[in-house]
Structures are given as structure tokens and as C-alpha cells.
Amino acid sequence: MLSKKEKLDVVVPVYNEEECLDELVRRLILVKEKMNEVDMNLLFVNDGSRDGSILKLCSYAEKYSYIKVISFSRNFGHQAAVTAGLDQATGDYVAIIDADLQDPPELIEPMYTKAKEGFDIVYGKRSSRKGETLFKKLSARYFYKFISTMCDVEIPEDTGDFRLISRRVLTAVRAMREKHRFLRGMIPWVGFKSIPLYYHRDERHAGETKYPLRKMIRFALDAIFSFSNTPLRLATYLGLVIVVLGILGGAFLMYLRFFTSYYVSGITAAILTIVIMGGVQVVMLGIIGEYIGRIFEESKRRQLYIIEETKNLQGREANDIEK
Ligand code: UDP
Ligand code: MG
């Protein structure tokens, strides 16, 4: 008798990846054929692409029933797209992979093997990168170091969203409905056993990065402000340091005035103090503002994404996950 196969879902966020899709699907199908011990489904999330991506995806979905498509009503961003994929996944394991072939699909198999050894999270760690600008490499290296020291969770360095997670991690992450999402921090936050799988990050197969500097900065701010309250604490510490320095400075000036023949001109000291304190206060207000803005966004409790149509997805209705 046939024992029931384990299910593995592969989530792929897609934003204007028309030129990558054929090669990606070809390679994913090869992986599926090779891993015939599992029942593998491919879940593509079209994040409001403006090119022919959706047409391609729909024609694949028509041809293969294991290719499923979720299409957003507009561009909601990479993290929202991955979230939608995770929401719809039903597998015992779920893999997340970029559509641009920078993460080799062939690694899903060793990831699954590692997971079967008893790990809940197998994350792809980049041992080298090809075809990325020096800025991107440096920012990726120092950004993760910086974030790890700021946040209360240990976020593995040089790791993107390319990973395989077990059902129980999936369930936990799915319950986290915050608006500003930083999945590569949220998944480690869940805990459980995790292990890296080192790999060589390839060049983008075609097209351009969908993460221009502007989006990268927004992503970095999300990571810092949604994931830690260190900036607030730093503001408090800075305030304390300034108070202590002020008291010491004041005492010193009084000493000069009353016990020596020197004294500091009042105007210079006053203007300097006003300018410095003004700057410090504006920066602190900015930090508080970042948090208030986020509280405001969260308090609206809007859905994280809106689905326009789906293909080959039975059972769940488009927007019924938001609970
Ligand atoms: N992506 C997306 N929505 C966006 C931006 C990107 O779904 O608004 C997808 C994109 O199609 C790709 C993945 O997210 O599959 C990673 O994007 P990209 O490769 O451009 O980022 P990079 O590798 O340059 O950091
Ligand atoms: Mg990429």
C-alpha cells in the first residue's frame, strides 16, 4: 500500500519577472521530478506585476495543476507577497525562494533532507555572491550585523528569505499579522531548531533588481523600528548623558566664575547649548515619530494584501485568511 507522501509547498514572490519565469519554472519542475518522494506544489504570488508575468503564470497554471497562482490587486511589496504565499500554503514543509534564480531551486532538495534530520528552519546562507554591486554586498554584510546587535532576536547574517520551514514554524509565523514585516527576523523570532545551508548566490537571471535604494532603506528602517526599541532606549541614554554633562559643565563654569579670574562669555555658551539641544531634540522627536507612525499604521488593522484572482487554489477563498 502506498504511504501518504509529505507535502512541500514552494512560495515564489513575483514582481515583473517575465524574463525569469520560463527558466525558473523549468528548473523547479526538474526539482519536483527529482524529489518524487514528496508531493510538491508551486505557489506563485504575483505582486501586481506590470509586465507579462501574470499571463505566463496563468498559462502554466492551466498546464500543470500543481502550479498555483495568487495575484494581487496592486504591488504590495515583497514581504506581503511572501506572506500571502505562506497564508495559502498547506504543506508539511514550505520553501521560500526568489523568482530571479539568485537562489538555486536545486537547493530545495538538500534543504528538505536537512529538515528531515530534525530541523524546523533551514536557511540559505550566502557564502559568496556574484553580480551584485559592492554597495549591495557591503550593505548586506553590515546591515545584518547591525540589525543583529540592535534586535533582541538573533538574525543570521548574510541570509535572505530563501529558506525551508516546517509546518509548526509556518503556523506560528502565520499568526503574526503585523503590517511592517521583516520576515527574516520574524522567522528566527519563532525559535525552534535551525541550521544554515551555505550556498553560492548566483547572478540575477534577467531583468533588474526590484529593490532600488529607496526600497532598501525602507526595508532597513522597518527592520530597525519594527523589530527593536533600541532607538528609544538610545534616546533615553543620550538624554541622560547630556544631563550629566550639563551638570558637570555648569559646576565647572561656576567654579571658574567664583574661584578664578576666568569666565566664559555667556552668549557663546548659551547659543552653543541651544543649537546642540535643539538638534538632539529634533532627532529624538523623529525617533518617537517613527514609532508613532508605526502604531498608527498597525492600529488601522488593514489587510496586508488584497487578492484579485487565484488559479488552482481550492478551498480557501481569496481574502479569508485575515483573521
Ligand atoms: N519582489 C516582489 N515585490 C516587490 C519587489 C520584489 O514580489 O515589490 C520579488 C521579486 O520578484 C523577487 C524577490 O521579490 O522574486 C526579490 O527581489 P529582487 O531579486 O529584485 O531583490 P534583490 O535580490 O535584488 O535583493
Ligand atoms: Mg534578486
Side-chain angles (χ1 to χ4, degrees), residues 11-80:
V11 170
V12 194
V14 177
Y15 179 51
N16 296 345
E17 303 284 9
E18 188 178 18
E19 299 145 301
C20 298
L21 282 178
D22 286 338
E23 178 66 8
L24 173 74
V25 170
R26 186 186 72 80
R27 279 169 68 179
L28 278 171
I29 290 179
L30 284 180
V31 172
K32 178 178 165 71
E33 281 165 2
K34 195 153 165 252
M35 295 179 69
N36 54 15
E37 76 274 21
V38 290
D39 174 16
M40 192 162 135
N41 285 298
L42 309 179
L43 249 165
F44 288 91
V45 185
N46 170 41
D47 184 13
S49 302
R50 282 170 226 267
D51 63 354
S53 299
I54 183 66
L55 293 177
K56 277 213 160 134
L57 289 176
C58 287
S59 74
Y60 279 122
E62 230 146 71
K63 214 158 136 201
Y64 307 102
S65 63
Y66 57 83
I67 293 191
K68 301 168 194 281
V69 181
I70 303 164
S71 191
F72 285 176
S73 59
R74 64 168 171 87
N75 179 251
F76 279 88
H78 178 204
Q79 302 289 299

Side-chain angles (χ1 to χ4, degrees), residues 17 98-103 126 132 136 201-205 208-211:
E17 303 284 9
D98 281 355
D100 59 358
L101 289 163
Q102 281 194 289
D103 313 321
R126 302 147 186 179
E132 287 193 331
K136 189 128 190 167
R201 187 152 163 97
D202 278 330
E203 257 172 279
R204 197 171 228 292
H205 177 69
E208 283 174 355
T209 173
K210 308 297 180 301
Y211 264 99

